[in-house]
């Protein structure tokens, strides 16, 4: 694929990521913010109970509250802060996914641009988020043990890296098996291998048993995790659709231009 075409796809991928980020922000704000607010309320209630149990006076409690006052207010965090984070995340991943699309187009089967974009988005959602989420699900802010946040972050990114590498290995193995088994059987065999090795990794990697404090409401935790999953699903679904349309237009335009140049350079019939 020509460098200028890849560059055009990269720009379209970032644009599609921006559009997807807008949809993801809407879901995060409507569905994700209520459980976040609930988790913060639980934390504040536990802190107040601990202060009361320890016998602190009202003046000491007020002083502690002033010391722990947030540098950025909660309304700003839940609007501008959330929007900025989700949009930057969407643009960055959109660009990376566009590069993956440029590599995958024509190499993973006889799929057109829209189908390849959909497959790229589905593969990215599965390897970058879903598989790591199943092993190390999302945790509401201010709920986990602060002493283990470094360990939990390392394990989560390790799971992302492992999942992506296993996904790439599955694609390569599937392509090599296709001439002998056929595309359908090769795909099933590669997918089965991916699931088996991933399951082994789930068993061998340590669990995050201390990721959530004891006594945290299970229903609120489940609501937060479903919201996190919904945000990612919407992000990648919208990206797959929008980028597929944009990529189709780019590639169709380049093909038409190439055909026009070839026709102009061809000798006229005698």
């Amino acid at each position: 694929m020509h460098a200028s075409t890849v560059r055009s796809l990269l720009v379209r991928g970032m644009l599609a990521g921006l559009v997807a980020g807008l949809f993801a922000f809407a879901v995060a704000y409507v569905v994700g913010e209520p459980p976040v607010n609930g988790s913060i309320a639980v934390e504040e209630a536990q802190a107040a109970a601990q202060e009361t149990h320890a016998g602190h006076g009202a003046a000491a409690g007020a002083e502690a509250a002033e010391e722990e006052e947030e540098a950025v207010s909660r309304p700003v965090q839940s609007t501008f802060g959330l929007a900025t984070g989700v949009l930057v995340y969407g643009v960055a991943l959109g660009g990376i996914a566009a590069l993956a699309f440029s590599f995958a187009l024509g190499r993973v089967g006889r799929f057109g641009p829209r189908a390849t974009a959909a497959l790229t988005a589905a593969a990215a959602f599965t390897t970058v988020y879903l598989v790591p989420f199943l092993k190390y699900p999302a945790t509401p802010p201010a709920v986990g043990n602060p002493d283990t946040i470094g360990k939990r972050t390392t394990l989560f990114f390790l799971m992302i890296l492992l999942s992506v590498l296993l996904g790439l290995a599955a694609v390569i193995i599937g392509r090599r098996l296709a001439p002998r088994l056929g595309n359908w059987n090769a795909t099933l065999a590669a997918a089965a291998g991916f699931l088996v090795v991933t399951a082994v990794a789930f068993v061998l990697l340590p669990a995050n048993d201390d990721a959530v404090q004891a006594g945290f409401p299970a229903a609120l935790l489940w609501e937060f995790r479903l919201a996190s999953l919904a945000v990612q699903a919407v992000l990648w679904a919208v990206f797959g659709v929008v980028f597929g349309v944009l990529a189709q237009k780019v590639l169709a335009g380049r093909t038409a231009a190439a055909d026009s140049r070839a026709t102009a350079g061809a000798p006229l019939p005698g």
Side-chain angles (χ1 to χ4, degrees):
M1 187 177 292
H2 198 274
S4 61
T5 303
V6 174
R7 185 165 53 251
S8 297
L9 290 173
L10 175 62
V11 173
R12 268 65 172 188
M14 296 173 70
L15 178 60
L18 179 63
V19 176
L22 290 173
F23 280 84
F25 164 69
V27 176
Y29 184 77
V30 174
V31 180
E33 280 303 304
V36 171
N37 292 331
S39 67
I40 294 175
V42 170
E43 180 199 21
E44 292 175 348
Q46 291 177 346
Q50 290 175 358
E51 288 181 0
T52 302
H53 181 71
H56 291 298
E63 182 180 354
E66 291 178 0
E67 292 176 355
E68 297 178 0
E69 184 178 359
E70 296 175 339
V72 181
S73 65
R74 178 63 191 145
V76 173
Q77 291 179 3
S78 62
T79 52
F80 295 106
L82 178 62
T84 301
V86 173
L87 293 179
V88 171
Y89 178 80
V91 170
L93 289 187
I96 296 173
L99 295 178
F101 166 89
S102 301
F103 176 80
L105 184 63
R107 292 186 173 92
V108 295
R110 297 180 179 179
F111 299 105
R114 293 186 181 183
T116 304
L119 291 174
T120 301
F125 169 71
T126 301
T127 57
V128 175
Y129 186 78
L130 182 59
V131 171
F133 173 86
L134 293 176
K135 175 60 179 177
Y136 301 117
T139 302
V143 171
N145 185 352
D147 297 332
T148 63
I149 187 171
K151 170 191 171 184
R152 290 185 280 120
T153 303
T154 301
L155 288 175
F156 182 75
F157 281 103
L158 176 63
M159 193 66 233
I160 292 177
L161 177 62
L162 181 60
S163 176
V164 171
L165 292 178
L166 290 177
L168 292 175
V171 172
I172 295 173
I173 293 173
R175 288 188 60 197
R176 293 186 177 181
L177 292 177
R180 288 185 295 170
L181 303 180
N183 290 333
W184 178 251
N185 291 332
T187 301
L188 291 179
F194 174 81
L195 292 176
V196 170
V197 178
T198 301
V200 172
F202 275 26
V203 174
L204 296 180
L205 287 174
N208 270 344
D209 296 330
D210 54 355
V212 180
Q213 297 177 359
F216 187 80
L220 185 59
L221 178 62
W222 181 246
E223 183 181 353
F224 175 82
R225 288 176 172 173
L226 285 181
S228 301
L229 188 61
V231 170
Q232 291 290 330
V234 169
L235 175 72
W236 286 111
V238 174
F239 172 81
V241 173
V242 175
F243 181 68
V245 173
L246 297 178
Q248 177 76 29
K249 292 182 179 180
V250 169
L251 296 173
R254 296 302 172 98
T255 302
D259 292 342
S260 299
R261 287 193 298 268
T263 301
L268 296 175

